[in-house]
Amino acid sequence: MQEIFRTLVINPGSTSTKIGVFDNEGCVFETTIRHSVDELQGFISISEQKSFRKNVILEQLDYEGISVSKLDAVCARGGLIRPIAGGTYEVNGAMIIDLERGYNGHHASNLGGIIANEIASSLHIPAYIVDPVVVDELAEIARFSGIPELPRKSIFHALNQKAVARRVAKQVGGVYEEMNFIVTHMGGGITVGAHHLGKVIDVNNGLHGEGPFSPERAGTVPVGDLVSMCFSGQYYLEEIMRKIVGNGGLMGYLLTSDAMEVERRISQGDSYAQKVYEAMAYQVAKEIAALSAVLKGDVDAIVLTGGLAHGKTFTDMIVERVDWIADTIVYPGEDELQALNEGALRVLRGEEQAKIYDDKTG
Ligand SMILES: Nc1ncnc2c1ncn2[C@@H]1O[C@H](COP(=O)(O)OP(=O)(O)O)[C@@H](O)[C@H]1O
Ligand SMILES: CCCC(=O)OP(=O)(O)O
């Protein structure tokens, strides 16, 4: 009889915590716990959310009658560690240090490996992360920023972009490594990646001020004006960073990061909300068109995914500006929980060895 591996998967996003329990490939349970702005506003830093998010996960499992004592592994979306190749990594001491200090910045996904490790070590089972947000496959030419000291960085929804691109390739009868896609993940942050023959050769840094504005991030801003703002004496560093990540984008203009709330306001005749929503779609379309130049026009499909891809009004506004490039495939939500489970399963079954993270990487 085939051995059954039960894995808890954890995906902390900026506006939600998604969890799932799998027995081999079969999903026993999955849910999305959404966190309101009010709920998260009480925490000064993301690391302070650790106990809150961990308790929410354990309470949810308890409520579902799922005992953690039956788990064989815990696997999470990994965070802003050093740039690494894709794959499944065992959580170890060097990784925990980098996650805790936010080696490449601060984001909810940093809590993934930390929480997975805490739950797993109390049960004496392994903890893993898969395809963290720092997976780096950028082409050399994409690393130039215009300021030599500031090379561009690959920080994006690597796990979901790659999982969905593989699924779409299969769906159209092709192989991911032989196709070109422009994949747009639209969650709390928005990242648009040029996938060339299985590698993400260019992508906006979805965290630190590049690309379209998003539900809670500023994206690219007028840089000279930002510098003046920084030196105006009116703001602390943390306040400026909050304008870029957390309080930018929809949050900045409309004081909500919830696109469903924005759609409600629009349906009630709020013309300002309409303009802001349209501007976000406009910026996404512009980024997609920019990446069509990266791929020299050879684009097999454009893929729209993430929470915002549930909103037809929003995806329609993007499609009308980019349908001259290639067909668009909308894949609402994400494939992240399945992708995390598959990454852990490959290691638990001995089909693959977990990669070792060390502080010489990056
Ligand atoms: N049915 C829907 N229609 C429109 N927007 C949606 C829908 N469901 C979720 N969203 C929006 O998607 C965004 C969150 O996306 P998600 O991928 O879950 O984010 P994250 O993982 O970054 O927390 C929020 O702005 C949310 O309001
Ligand atoms: C840091 C890139 C990943 C990201 O933005 O994730 P969320 O949309 O879940 O915040």
Side-chain angles (χ1 to χ4, degrees):
M1 216 176 67
Q2 195 192 18
E3 190 173 1
I4 294 178
F5 293 106
R6 174 165 281 201
T7 304
L8 166 65
V9 298
I10 302 172
N11 177 8
S14 49
T15 64
S16 66
T17 305
K18 293 166 186 146
I19 58 169
V21 175
F22 290 80
D23 280 347
N24 289 345
E25 280 81 3
C27 181
V28 177
F29 159 74
E30 70 175 297
T31 192
T32 297
I33 305 151
R34 296 222 169 266
H35 307 302
S36 68
V37 171
D38 290 344
E39 205 171 22
L40 296 184
Q41 209 79 6
F43 298 97
I44 294 168
S45 65
I46 286 171
S47 53
E48 284 180 25
Q49 296 173 13
K50 186 190 76 180
S51 302
F52 162 72
R53 295 220 194 203
K54 182 180 165 189
N55 289 339
V56 161
I57 295 166
L58 294 176
E59 279 164 17
Q60 192 70 44
L61 292 176
D62 198 38
Y63 179 77
E64 296 296 327
I66 295 173
S67 165
V68 287
S69 66
K70 302 276 186 316
L71 296 173
D72 293 294
V74 186
C75 186
R77 179 160 77 134
L80 291 152
I81 50 181
R82 291 153 208 264
I84 50 177
T88 303
Y89 288 78
E90 189 161 326
V91 180
N92 61 15
M95 187 187 293
I96 293 289
I97 290 170
D98 284 350
L99 289 170
E100 281 178 346
R101 71 172 160 161
Y103 181 85
N104 250 315
H106 299 278
H107 179 259
S109 58
N110 289 6
L111 298 174
I114 296 172
I115 294 174
N117 188 53
E118 285 193 6
I119 296 175
S121 54
S122 69
L123 299 167
H124 308 290
I125 57 175
Y128 303 109
I129 62 161
V130 180
D131 286 349
V133 295
V134 289
V135 165
D136 186 349
E137 300 171 339
L138 290 188
E140 270 322 298
I141 198 165
R143 296 185 191 276
F144 290 83
S145 72
I147 297 186
E149 302 91 314
L150 303 178
R152 293 185 62 236
K153 288 182 185 168
S154 182
I155 297 180
F156 74 114
H157 302 86
L159 179 67
N160 192 47
Q161 284 215 14
K162 285 193 153 275
V164 171
R166 279 184 198 283
R167 178 183 283 244
V168 167
K170 216 169 178 180
Q171 191 180 313
V172 298
V175 178
Y176 176 56
E177 285 75 14
E178 294 170 7
M179 301 184 82
N180 288 344
F181 297 112
I182 298 174
V183 184
T184 304
H185 180 111
M186 306 178 293
I190 296 181
T191 60
V192 188
H195 295 234
H196 175 61
L197 309 179
K199 297 242 179 303
V200 184
I201 59 169
D202 201 349
V203 63
N204 63 298
N205 175 337
L207 199 61
H208 293 138
E210 255 193 358
F213 73 75
S214 78
E216 59 127 57
R217 277 167 228 165
T220 305
V221 294
V223 67
D225 296 336
L226 178 69
V227 172
S228 302
M229 192 184 237
C230 293
F231 287 93
S232 66
Q234 287 182 44
Y235 301 98
Y236 291 111
L237 171 69
E238 291 73 21
E239 290 175 297
I240 298 279
M241 288 309 279
R242 288 292 288 174
K243 283 183 182 293
I244 297 169
V245 184
N247 290 340
L250 293 185
M251 265 301 285
Y253 291 113
L254 302 171
L255 300 179
T256 180
S257 58
D258 180 355
M260 290 182 281
E261 163 65 16
V262 176
E263 292 197 0
R264 257 190 304 278
R265 292 187 201 171
I266 294 169
S267 69
Q268 288 161 3
D270 183 336
S271 60
Y272 182 61
Q274 169 84 37
K275 270 188 205 155
V276 172
Y277 210 41
E278 268 177 29
M280 188 162 72
Y282 167 90
Q283 292 203 353
V284 172
K286 220 164 98 171
E287 192 75 18
I288 291 171
L291 291 190
S292 75
V294 167
L295 295 172
K296 299 179 180 164
D298 182 7
V299 182
D300 290 300
I302 295 164
V303 184
L304 302 180
T305 182
L308 285 168
H310 284 291
K312 177 139 172 47
T313 324
F314 190 66
T315 55
D316 281 353
M317 289 190 289
I318 299 170
V319 173
E320 71 165 336
R321 290 185 188 274
V322 299
D323 66 354
W324 55 275
I325 299 170
D327 286 344
T328 301
I329 296 172
V330 181
Y331 190 96
E334 66 285 301
D335 231 355
E336 288 171 335
L337 296 181
Q338 289 85 345
L340 287 172
N341 178 56
E342 282 162 19
L345 257 188
R346 285 193 294 274
V347 171
L348 291 169
R349 286 178 171 155
E351 295 164 6
E352 203 177 287
Q353 270 213 318
K355 294 184 177 172
I356 305 295
Y357 179 80
D358 65 49
D359 57 13
K360 283 165 210 62
T361 325

